[in-house]
Amino acid sequence: METLSFQFPAGQPAQGRALVGCVGSGDLEVLLEPGQAGTLAIEVVTSVNGSALRWQQLFERMFREQQLPALNIAIHDFGATPGVVRLRLEQGLEELSHG
């Protein structure tokens, strides 16, 4: 198990919370909560050691396209593929946008 931390610029704190996915074979759980203004903080607990660069690149691709609200995102990963990670993050962001 490995714990990774990332930070990106963000806007104002999000309104509300969202929980998507579940930790299971090849999947992950994502919890999104309001964060500190200006900061998108992500903590990943993953079963895949040595994957920090893959996570960093995925987040950079996702977050350069848009500025997100300030969030604290907790990800509990059990070997999910990058496509599943992106899907779960997008699902969580969509839930937040529906208030």
Side-chain angles (χ1 to χ4, degrees):
M1 297 295 286
E2 189 171 24
T3 301
L4 309 169
S5 296
F6 304 93
Q7 285 195 351
F8 296 91
Q12 291 301 307
Q15 300 297 311
R17 293 170 167 72
L19 175 65
V20 293
C22 63
V23 180
S25 180
D27 208 357
L28 76 159
E29 172 184 76
V30 178
L31 174 64
L32 300 95
E33 299 181 303
Q36 181 178 354
T39 303
L40 173 65
I42 306 169
E43 183 175 272
V44 178
V45 177
T46 180
S47 63
V48 182
N49 292 329
S51 61
L53 181 59
R54 178 177 63 103
W55 287 97
Q56 178 75 33
Q57 291 172 340
L58 172 67
F59 295 144
E60 286 175 356
R61 280 193 308 272
M62 284 189 72
F63 304 143
R64 75 171 163 234
E65 299 168 5
Q66 59 187 328
Q67 184 176 48
L68 297 177
L71 292 164
N72 291 324
I73 300 176
I75 298 175
H76 301 105
D77 172 50
F78 193 66
T81 65
V84 171
V85 174
R86 186 176 188 117
L87 174 69
R88 293 289 180 245
L89 283 167
E90 288 174 350
Q91 285 176 322
L93 293 169
E94 185 173 336
E95 279 193 33
L96 287 176
S97 72
H98 293 279

